[in-house]
Amino acid sequence: MAILEITRANLKSLAENLEGLLIQYSATDDAATALLRSLSDLIQSAKNGTLKNNVDDVPGRLSFTEKGLLQYQELEEAYALFKLEITLGDFWR
């Protein structure tokens, strides 16, 4: 049970970090605003602990390569870690 709680806490932390960075960059970058909108349901589910299964298709990959978000390394890393956890993590068990 402790491992499960740590993993859910990690997922929540990753979601909060990603959301915070997206909000920060949204002030000056429309691509960040669009990515925040497209990820908002997943982020909220992760923060609330209601995400029950791994997610196969996480929106946003092209936001970095085609919309210019690669310039924000911290945001790219936060997105990558969040995506990794919700696609491969076992937070839902």
Side-chain angles (χ1 to χ4, degrees):
M1 187 68 134
I3 292 172
L4 180 61
E5 290 172 9
I6 290 169
T7 306
R8 282 190 182 152
N10 185 49
L11 179 62
K12 180 179 179 180
S13 175
L14 291 171
E16 290 171 342
N17 184 49
L18 177 58
E19 182 181 45
L21 289 169
L22 284 168
I23 290 169
Q24 174 186 331
Y25 290 116
S26 289
T28 57
D29 196 315
D30 291 339
T33 304
L35 182 55
L36 178 59
R37 262 187 264 127
S38 67
L39 290 173
S40 65
D41 288 342
L42 281 176
I43 289 172
Q44 289 309 312
S45 294
K47 287 172 41 179
N48 297 334
T50 57
L51 199 58
K52 301 296 181 197
N53 296 302
N54 291 97
V55 178
D56 292 326
D57 186 28
V58 179
R61 179 180 55 87
L62 297 178
S63 297
F64 291 92
T65 57
E66 294 181 7
K67 302 293 182 183
L69 293 181
L70 277 175
Q71 64 182 314
Y72 310 118
Q73 183 178 0
E74 186 179 23
L75 177 59
E76 181 188 13
E77 289 174 6
Y79 173 81
L81 291 172
F82 178 74
K83 183 177 178 179
L84 208 89
E85 185 66 24
I86 64 173
T87 56
L88 300 175
D90 57 358
F91 58 86
W92 49 271
R93 290 184 187 194

